[in-house]
Amino acid sequence: MSNLLVTGGAGFIGVNFVHYWLETHPTDTVVVLDALTYAGNRASLASVEINPNFSFVHGNICDTDLVETLLIGHQIDTLVHFAAESHVDRSIDGPDAFIETNIIGTHSLLKAAKKVWLDAPKKQGLAPLKHRFHHVSTDEVYGDLSPTDPAFTEDTQYAPNSPYSASKAASDHLVRAYHHTYGLEVTTSNCSNNYGPYHFPEKLIPLVITNILHNKPLPIYGDGQQIRDWLYVTDHARGIELVLQKGRLGECYNIGGINEWANIDIVKLICQLMNTRFAANLKLAQQYPQAIQVIAGQSEALITHVTDRAGHDRRYAINPTKSYHELGYQPVESFETGISKTVEWYLQ
């Protein structure tokens, strides 16, 4: 049995991880710490709120005293750190929040973990407490790829190109430093673009789905040929589970979907899926009467090209070979099944 503290557990990936973990590890205790900023939604945790092994704490990871109290009070032995500001556009417009949460917040957690798990037992002449600090990062820390470059590996040099990715890169380095300097037992995972249920609709896939339902334009940056590797969010949760169970301390593991798509092709695919569903289920037109174009079977007419954002990376791709060989990781969901589940969740 483990006692987990999940930071950012009311956000998109954190919520899905909490649901997955409580389903697959029903005897474990899960404590969620979340500041409930704009992208955090406690309602997404409604189905687990009744679980006696679950508890929610509204608070900020920068509050080191609070984190220490939670680690001690709940006898936490595993900290899974999702909490982050994560939208590139927002980081360009206002980088300060990204520095505060992603760098200072991560350092706050590391300080609390070191004090409770390492320093306090040492003062009493005891061995360090059993623990794991797992840090969830992103493929964006590696920078940009050309169409012919090999996918990112764990040995790819960091080259972040936005305030968001730079702040995540800094947090990765802090986690590594606390392992090598103090002996904190850490692992890090770098994931590709996630998609699935509970996603805040500022990211591409949920934005396209919800805009179609409201008959709003589907904004495509530049030519739409930016390529991303897409990972179904539950497959990400499975990958983190494997890192916690089998990962080597101090190591980084890439968790990818082996599923590269250009943004414009993703949008066109979602348009087709939405057109098909509305044609097959006439009740959807009654449920979403404002969705004029998709009711007519023409949601692709909403596609609108807009000026590309500053410093837009052209391609990301993850090579998860290390995770496959060391952990036995591979995605379970195909993109066809994952995107179908995602569209259906939003429609419901």
Side-chain angles (χ1 to χ4, degrees), residues 306-322:
V306 299
T307 302
D308 207 352
R309 73 180 175 209
H312 201 170
D313 290 333
R314 197 66 173 169
R315 174 176 170 244
Y316 305 138
I318 281 282
N319 180 344
T321 299
K322 178 180 177 180

Side-chain angles (χ1 to χ4, degrees), residues 44-78:
S44 298
L45 294 164
S47 64
V48 298
E49 292 270 12
I50 59 173
N51 189 322
N53 291 339
F54 172 83
S55 57
F56 179 87
V57 178
H58 184 194
N60 196 305
I61 60 172
C62 293
D63 186 344
T64 310
D65 291 340
L66 171 61
V67 177
E68 290 176 13
T69 300
L70 295 177
L71 292 176
I72 295 169
H74 293 273
Q75 297 182 309
I76 300 296
D77 53 48
T78 304

Side-chain angles (χ1 to χ4, degrees), residues 70-89:
L70 295 177
L71 292 176
I72 295 169
H74 293 273
Q75 297 182 309
I76 300 296
D77 53 48
T78 304
L79 193 158
V80 185
H81 176 31
F82 292 100
E85 296 285 346
S86 65
H87 194 238
V88 174
D89 287 356

Side-chain angles (χ1 to χ4, degrees), residues 114-347:
K114 174 179 175 289
K115 182 176 180 180
V116 173
W117 289 337
L118 301 181
D119 297 345
K122 184 178 180 180
K123 288 181 179 178
Q124 301 176 46
L126 302 174
L129 297 176
K130 175 187 175 184
H131 68 274
R132 173 71 67 86
F133 186 111
H134 181 73
H135 176 58
V136 181
S137 189
T138 172
D139 56 1
E140 296 192 40
V141 298
Y142 298 123
D144 195 11
L145 291 172
S146 76
T148 58
D149 283 337
F152 300 129
T153 71
E154 291 81 358
D155 295 324
T156 300
Q157 180 176 326
Y158 275 29
N161 290 322
S162 69
Y164 161 60
S165 56
S167 67
K168 288 298 289 184
S171 66
D172 293 5
H173 293 319
L174 283 170
V175 173
R176 173 184 170 86
Y178 264 70
H179 172 69
H180 285 271
T181 302
Y182 304 114
L184 195 68
E185 297 187 354
V186 309
T187 43
T188 295
S189 56
N190 297 79
C191 69
S192 51
N193 280 36
N194 281 218
Y195 70 99
Y198 303 108
H199 207 168
F200 186 78
E202 67 179 356
K203 302 295 179 72
L204 180 64
I205 289 177
L207 177 69
V208 170
I209 296 170
T210 53
N211 277 18
I212 288 173
L213 295 178
H214 292 87
N215 208 53
K216 294 182 178 179
L218 309 180
I220 305 296
Y221 281 128
D223 60 7
Q225 292 300 321
Q226 303 87 0
I227 294 174
R228 301 293 182 260
D229 176 25
W230 292 93
L231 172 67
Y232 190 66
V233 66
T234 307
D235 280 330
H236 187 187
R238 294 188 187 100
I240 293 172
E241 176 186 42
L242 289 169
V243 175
L244 291 172
Q245 293 173 341
K246 302 179 182 180
R248 290 182 288 136
L249 296 179
E251 290 292 313
C252 299
Y253 294 91
N254 283 348
I255 302 176
I258 319 174
N259 177 46
E260 293 185 53
W261 282 72
N263 285 349
I264 186 64
D265 295 332
I266 288 276
V267 173
K268 289 179 178 178
L269 173 63
I270 294 173
C271 287
Q272 293 170 7
L273 292 173
M274 295 287 281
N275 290 343
T276 299
R277 277 171 165 73
F278 270 73
N281 183 359
L282 299 181
K283 291 183 179 180
L284 289 174
Q286 299 174 2
Q287 185 176 354
Y288 300 103
Q290 69 272 45
I292 298 170
Q293 293 290 5
V294 71
I295 291 171
Q298 299 176 353
S299 56
E300 62 276 4
L302 296 170
I303 294 174
T304 304
H305 289 265
V306 299
T307 302
D308 207 352
R309 73 180 175 209
H312 201 170
D313 290 333
R314 197 66 173 169
R315 174 176 170 244
Y316 305 138
I318 281 282
N319 180 344
T321 299
K322 178 180 177 180
S323 295
Y324 175 79
H325 286 301
E326 291 194 19
L327 310 176
Y329 163 79
Q330 55 183 328
V332 172
E333 294 288 347
S334 68
F335 191 61
E336 289 74 19
T337 60
I339 197 66
S340 179
K341 287 180 179 181
T342 302
V343 168
E344 192 61 33
W345 185 87
Y346 277 93
L347 288 174

Side-chain angles (χ1 to χ4, degrees), residues 1-72:
M1 179 175 177
S2 294
N3 298 325
L4 278 70
L5 175 62
V6 180
T7 71
F12 165 48
I13 304 177
V15 159
N16 281 279
F17 176 83
V18 169
H19 282 283
Y20 174 80
W21 197 269
L22 287 172
E23 288 172 7
T24 54
H25 303 269
T27 62
D28 284 2
T29 296
V30 174
V31 180
V32 165
L33 172 63
D34 200 291
L36 294 180
T37 57
Y38 76 95
N41 183 10
R42 187 169 177 178
S44 298
L45 294 164
S47 64
V48 298
E49 292 270 12
I50 59 173
N51 189 322
N53 291 339
F54 172 83
S55 57
F56 179 87
V57 178
H58 184 194
N60 196 305
I61 60 172
C62 293
D63 186 344
T64 310
D65 291 340
L66 171 61
V67 177
E68 290 176 13
T69 300
L70 295 177
L71 292 176
I72 295 169

